[in-house]
Amino acid sequence: ITHEVLLSSKKREKVISKTIELLNNYNLKGINIDFEHTKIEDRDLITQFVRELSAQAKANGKITSVDVTPQITNNVEKEPYNRKELAEVCDYVIVMAYDQHWASSEKAGSVAEYKWVESNINMLFRSIPKEKLILGVPFYSRIWTEENGKVKSSTISMDQSNKLLNEEDLMPKWDDVSKQDYVEYTEGNKTYKIWLEDSQSIKWKVSLVNKYNLAGVGSWRKG
């Protein structure tokens, strides 16, 4: 569906028109654009959509921001976003600096350890001006289950992790590499591991905003 909409100038125009209408009807300051799980060949179409929407938003006094993943390769043709061009056409670019280890990872680890976050934003300075770069931080962790050499995980909110710590009477230990509290416990043949996102881990990540004079910090939390 995303591909078909982006491919058609008429469909893009309709989406943009309806979006601007909503922004004005609800007197919103702006819009955050987040395309995920798209095809790499749609990269330039995403840029074109953001270019067209940003122009209309600006004409209506609205702000646009666009979300991008950390950069994996230096070759933009192998990336889902042209971050440099996106930064040129919108007001802010929010880097989703998390999912360092995620659902399909073969090894347990942090969602976003400090050094990993820092190295990723440093790479993005080549294409995104600091004054336009917003650091996206996670308000969730992953609880990893290791059993018989196999690893799986599920997301866990801050409230859920606090509840688990209390129920299991667990005492986290500070991991200075990830700049996070870490907890590990066993039940039967299963070993559970959590690199916790909490006030301390967020504090360390947010400190990067001031260290590099970024535009700000952002996050998403449903509910």
Side-chain angles (χ1 to χ4, degrees):
I1 295 172
T2 304
H3 173 75
E4 291 302 321
V5 171
L6 292 175
L7 196 60
S8 166
S9 60
K10 287 186 177 180
K11 289 179 181 179
R12 292 199 308 268
E13 185 179 350
K14 184 175 181 180
V15 170
I16 291 168
S17 176
K18 289 291 185 181
T19 301
I20 297 299
E21 184 180 318
L22 286 169
L23 292 177
N24 287 328
N25 286 348
Y26 290 98
N27 196 28
L28 303 180
K29 285 189 175 182
I31 184 167
N32 175 239
I33 305 162
D34 184 9
F35 284 114
E36 297 189 36
H37 307 295
T38 55
K39 299 176 182 178
I40 289 180
E41 52 263 39
D42 285 338
R43 176 189 59 253
D44 294 337
L45 290 173
I46 291 174
T47 303
Q48 183 60 24
F49 177 85
V50 175
R51 180 182 291 110
E52 293 168 355
L53 177 52
S54 293
Q56 289 298 315
K58 188 174 183 179
N60 283 266
K62 306 298 183 181
I63 293 171
T64 55
S65 63
V66 60
D67 304 338
V68 299
T69 54
Q71 191 168 326
I72 298 174
T73 171
N74 287 324
N75 186 350
V76 70
E77 292 185 0
K78 294 182 179 179
E79 289 283 318
Y81 309 99
N82 188 328
R83 298 168 184 82
K84 187 176 186 297
E85 288 196 16
L86 288 172
E88 290 172 357
V89 300
C90 68
D91 296 296
Y92 298 104
V93 179
I94 304 178
V95 56
M96 298 179 285
Y98 38 82
D99 281 345
Q100 176 185 1
H101 296 87
W102 65 310
S104 62
S105 296
E106 297 179 356
K107 181 181 177 182
S110 169
V111 167
E113 66 180 42
Y114 176 81
K115 289 183 179 179
W116 179 84
V117 173
E118 184 172 28
S119 66
N120 273 289
I121 62 174
N122 269 283
M123 181 177 286
L124 289 175
F125 291 153
R126 302 171 190 172
S127 53
I128 306 169
K130 293 181 180 181
E131 62 272 16
K132 283 193 171 187
L133 183 59
I134 292 176
L135 178 63
V137 298
F139 284 167
Y140 67 95
S141 307
R142 283 196 168 275
I143 180 167
W144 297 87
T145 306
E146 296 180 350
E147 183 180 18
N148 299 325
K150 294 183 179 180
V151 179
K152 62 180 181 179
S153 73
S154 58
T155 57
I156 184 170
S157 70
M158 289 180 170
D159 285 343
Q160 289 172 323
S161 60
N162 285 334
K163 184 179 179 182
L164 179 64
L165 294 178
N166 291 328
E167 289 177 348
E168 299 290 339
D169 195 25
L170 301 171
M171 290 295 294
K173 293 182 179 180
W174 181 253
D175 175 14
D176 203 46
V177 174
S178 65
K179 303 297 184 190
Q180 289 174 282
D181 278 324
Y182 172 76
V183 65
E184 180 178 322
Y185 66 101
T186 58
E187 288 182 353
N189 295 326
K190 296 181 179 180
T191 299
Y192 298 93
K193 299 178 179 180
I194 312 174
W195 283 260
L196 292 159
E197 290 294 351
D198 54 22
S199 59
Q200 288 303 308
S201 68
I202 297 297
K203 183 179 179 180
W204 272 98
K205 281 187 263 284
V206 171
S207 72
L208 293 169
V209 174
N210 291 328
K211 181 176 181 179
Y212 292 102
N213 198 26
L214 306 183
V217 63
S219 195
W220 296 261
R221 178 70 173 95
K222 185 178 180 181

